[in-house]
């Protein structure tokens, strides 16, 4: 009998080598190679649904099918999915440990069951008693929610074929294993093969499958990159565990837009939706403090008003310190250099600290002008007048550049009582006239208008 071959597989990217290596030459990860059995692929193995025709046909002859989505009952979740879950789709939800992934999907399953939609919730990490304990905390469920504790994917799919639910939830894909592969659960090969098997099952049966995926310390979904290409929808659940707010984003969506986002709050009774998050982070803002300014940032397609704070203090050391929380550190240093070069301010003897209040992380360049205004306000110790909204991208030459969707930002800010808006020059199409709009071209002009 031939001795089975041994290979070493990187658990970060799936790179395969015949001998162990300390560092992966493909992705650069250290100590990521795990010994596995080299199992040859079976003849005819395919990740495509069984019975799929391979004959080409003209595009105009392809029958267009209308998608009948399943409403989860969680409006923010449905918004990110594009209106609900498509039958036969494969959805991957990733996020940090304890962020609320299992809570969200269990809550969705309970709402489905109350609408007489059968759901099979399979957990490989918790016992059935633990799942029931969490369900009681979330509320009541109907008789159509079935729970099961298992890790063998073949047994799970057999039960799913017998029960015939409308939705199958797998928590999580890293705990599942395919008995046909002689490798440990959670390895690159097992994650890939289990996901491929779930994909074929979803397409052939028409049952929607939601799988939870663990993430690495870098925030990426654990397993091979092929995992994200195989599924129909990739959702990312983010948030700072020091705060109660959570953001659900769609990184990939074959059935809808990836520009939508859902905002949640973690409460004692589970995740609660926040349908209007525009002024969520302005509840405790002081009106007469220097170094504080409000900016309107887009979270998907939804404007959220956030408070940007800055503190400029004389340094007791020879080397000034720059710190940014919730904002890109490199953009802070760039804005300080622009203020020094274009406006003649000297930050060489001052520490500079920038913070986005509430645990939010702002990534779009539209917050550049607000950060610069907050730094100048703290540097001059002059508070920015109340009711002023600042937004715009700052270029290296000191110009203020256009931003996306200024009308939606202004509309939401007007509803919260803001009267004056400093933004880049450009054409605006507002439904209601506004006399407080100030359009600027340069950073120097913008700061003059902000403190006017």
């Amino acid at each position: 009998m031939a001795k089975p071959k041994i290979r070493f597989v990187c658990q970060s990217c799936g790179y395969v080598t015949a001998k162990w290596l300390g560092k992966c030459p493909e992705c650069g990860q250290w100590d990521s190679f795990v010994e596995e059995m080299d199992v040859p692929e079976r003849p005819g193995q395919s990740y495509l649904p069984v019975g799929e025709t391979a004959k080409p046909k003209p595009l105009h002859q392809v029958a267009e099918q209308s998608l009948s989505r399943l409403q989860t009952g969680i409006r923010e979740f449905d918004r990110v999915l594009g209106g609900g879950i498509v039958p036969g789709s494969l959805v991957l939800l990733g996020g940090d440990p304890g962020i609320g992934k299992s809570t969200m999907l269990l809550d969705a399953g309970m709402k489905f069951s109350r609408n007489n939609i059968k759901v099979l919730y399979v957990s490989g990490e918790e016992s059935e008693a633990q799942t029931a304990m969490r369900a009681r905390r979330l509320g009541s469920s109907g008789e159509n929610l079935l729970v099961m504790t298992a890790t063998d994917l073949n047994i799970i799919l057999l039960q799913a074929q017998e029960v015939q639910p409308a939705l199958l939830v797998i928590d999580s894909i890293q705990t599942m294993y395919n008995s046909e592969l002689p490798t440990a659960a959670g390895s690159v090969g097992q994650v890939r093969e289990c996901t491929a098997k779930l994909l074929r099952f979803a397409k052939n049966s028409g049952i929607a499958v939601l799988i939870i995926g663990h993430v690495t310390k870098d925030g990426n979904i654990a397993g091979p990159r092929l995992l994200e290409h195989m599924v129909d929808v990739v959702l990312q659940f983010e948030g700072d565990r020091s705060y109660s707010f959570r953001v659900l984003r769609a990184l990939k969506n074959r059935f809808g837009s990836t520009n939508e986002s859902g905002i949640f709050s973690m409460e004692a009774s589970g995740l609660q939706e926040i349908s209007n998050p525009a002024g969520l982070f302005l509840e405790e803002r002081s009106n007469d403090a220097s170094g504080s300014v409000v900016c309107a940032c887009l979270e998907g397609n939804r404007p959220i008003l956030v408070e940007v704070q800055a503190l400029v203090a004389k340094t007791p050391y020879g080397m000034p310190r720059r710190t940014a929380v919730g904002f890109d550190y490199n953009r802070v240093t760039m804005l300080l250099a622009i203020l020094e070069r274009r406006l003649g301010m000297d930050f060489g003897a001052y520490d500079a600290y920038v913070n986005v209040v509430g645990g939010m992380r702002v990534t779009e360049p539209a917050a550049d002008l607000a950060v610069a205004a907050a730094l100048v306000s703290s540097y001059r110790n002059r508070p920015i007048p109340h009711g002023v909204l600042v937004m715009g991208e700052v270029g290296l030459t000191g110009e203020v550049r256009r931003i996306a969707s200024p009308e939606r930002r202004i509309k939401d800010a007007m509803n919260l009582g803001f009267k004056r808006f400093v933004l880049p020059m450009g054409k605006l199409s507002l439904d209601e006239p506004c006399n407080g709009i100030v359009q600027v071209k340069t950073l120097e002009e913008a700061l003059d208008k902000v403190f006017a």
Side-chain angles (χ1 to χ4, degrees):
M1 184 176 179
K3 185 178 180 181
K5 295 182 179 179
I6 301 296
R7 63 177 184 176
F8 294 87
V9 182
C10 174
Q11 301 302 296
S12 178
C13 66
Y15 182 81
V16 180
T17 179
K19 61 180 181 179
W20 185 86
L21 299 176
K23 181 181 180 181
C24 177
E26 184 72 20
C27 63
Q29 290 288 330
W30 287 91
D31 196 22
S32 62
F33 281 93
V34 173
E35 180 180 332
E36 293 183 2
M37 303 289 292
D38 189 1
V39 180
E41 291 189 2
R42 297 183 301 275
Q45 183 181 15
S46 173
Y47 294 154
L48 296 177
V50 177
E52 180 173 338
T53 58
K55 296 181 180 180
K57 61 179 67 174
L59 181 62
H60 66 275
Q61 294 182 4
V62 179
E64 185 176 348
Q65 299 178 351
S66 59
L67 298 177
S68 57
R69 299 176 183 264
L70 300 173
Q71 300 288 334
T72 64
I74 306 175
R75 293 187 301 272
E76 296 294 297
F77 193 31
D78 291 336
R79 181 204 303 273
V80 178
L81 289 171
I85 299 176
V86 176
S89 63
L90 184 61
V91 181
L92 173 63
L93 174 63
D96 293 330
I99 205 71
K101 305 182 296 297
S102 301
T103 302
M104 174 183 289
L105 294 191
L106 182 59
D107 189 19
M110 294 172 64
K111 285 183 169 60
F112 272 127
S113 67
R114 289 198 289 267
N115 294 328
N116 294 323
I117 298 176
K118 187 176 290 186
V119 179
L120 176 58
Y121 187 95
V122 182
S123 176
E125 303 174 348
E126 296 178 329
S127 65
E128 297 171 1
Q130 289 175 310
T131 305
M133 187 184 304
R134 177 187 289 136
R136 281 193 293 269
R137 179 168 55 90
L138 297 176
S140 61
S141 63
E143 297 179 355
N144 291 308
L145 177 59
L146 307 176
V147 296
M148 176 182 174
T149 300
T151 56
D152 191 337
L153 190 61
N154 294 322
I155 296 177
I156 294 171
L157 295 183
L158 284 175
Q159 292 295 325
Q161 288 175 352
E162 181 179 347
V163 173
Q164 285 296 310
L167 178 66
L168 172 63
V169 180
I170 303 294
D171 183 12
S172 65
I173 190 62
Q174 277 78 17
T175 61
M176 301 295 140
Y177 74 94
N178 185 355
S179 57
E180 300 171 3
L181 295 179
T183 54
S187 62
V188 170
Q190 284 284 2
V191 171
R192 181 181 63 245
E193 293 299 325
C194 289
T195 305
K197 207 162 190 175
L198 288 169
L199 175 64
R200 293 194 294 269
F201 173 78
K203 302 305 178 185
N204 292 332
S205 64
I207 298 174
V209 180
L210 271 66
I211 58 178
I212 294 177
H214 296 168
V215 296
T216 62
K217 62 181 180 181
D218 298 326
N220 300 318
I221 297 177
R225 199 67 178 180
L226 177 65
L227 178 65
E228 299 179 37
H229 293 281
M230 293 166 63
V231 301
D232 296 314
V233 181
V234 179
L235 303 178
Q236 185 80 12
F237 207 28
E238 303 173 354
D240 191 339
R241 298 183 64 178
S242 303
Y243 298 90
S244 62
F245 306 111
R246 305 286 188 266
V247 180
L248 180 67
R249 294 188 178 93
L251 305 182
K252 171 187 176 182
N253 192 351
R254 289 175 178 161
F255 311 110
S257 172
T258 57
N259 293 327
E260 295 290 351
S261 62
I263 312 296
F264 297 87
S265 175
M266 180 64 80
E267 307 294 342
S269 58
L271 287 170
Q272 302 295 326
E273 302 176 68
I274 300 177
S275 57
N276 186 17
L280 182 65
F281 301 98
L282 304 180
E283 297 173 350
E284 302 177 1
R285 181 173 180 258
S286 176
N287 296 333
D288 53 356
S290 62
S292 173
V293 65
V294 178
C295 173
C297 300
L298 285 182
E299 190 63 50
N301 284 326
R302 309 167 69 186
I304 297 180
L305 274 63
V306 296
E307 180 186 359
V308 179
Q309 293 181 344
L311 176 63
V312 178
K314 197 169 184 63
T315 178
Y317 310 104
M319 183 69 67
R321 184 176 182 181
R322 279 73 171 103
T323 303
V325 178
F327 195 75
D328 188 8
Y329 169 83
N330 294 323
R331 296 195 75 86
V332 172
T333 57
M334 182 190 74
L335 292 171
L336 289 171
I338 295 172
L339 291 172
E340 288 186 348
R341 184 73 175 90
R342 304 299 174 187
L343 275 72
M345 298 182 178
D346 184 15
F347 290 93
Y350 293 88
D351 294 332
Y353 305 89
V354 174
N355 177 41
V356 180
V357 177
M360 282 289 294
R361 176 153 188 85
V362 178
T363 57
E364 64 168 341
D368 286 352
L369 188 57
V371 173
L375 289 168
V376 174
S377 173
S378 179
Y379 180 80
R380 296 176 176 174
N381 198 23
R382 288 183 57 188
I384 294 176
H386 184 65
V388 176
L389 186 74
V390 182
M391 49 188 174
E393 179 183 357
V394 178
L396 292 177
T397 59
E399 82 278 12
V400 181
R401 307 178 70 88
R402 291 185 183 180
I403 59 176
S405 306
E407 296 88 355
R408 270 183 291 179
R409 306 175 199 241
I410 293 175
K411 181 180 178 181
D412 279 21
M414 289 175 62
N415 294 334
L416 293 174
F418 285 82
K419 304 295 184 183
R420 187 176 176 85
F421 309 93
V422 180
L423 66 155
M425 191 71 66
K427 184 178 179 180
L428 296 176
S429 55
L430 294 172
D431 298 334
E432 300 177 4
C434 180
N435 298 325
I437 295 178
V438 179
Q439 295 184 316
V440 296
K441 291 185 177 180
T442 64
L443 177 60
E444 184 177 4
E445 180 185 0
L447 293 176
D448 289 341
K449 300 296 184 182
V450 166
F451 291 100

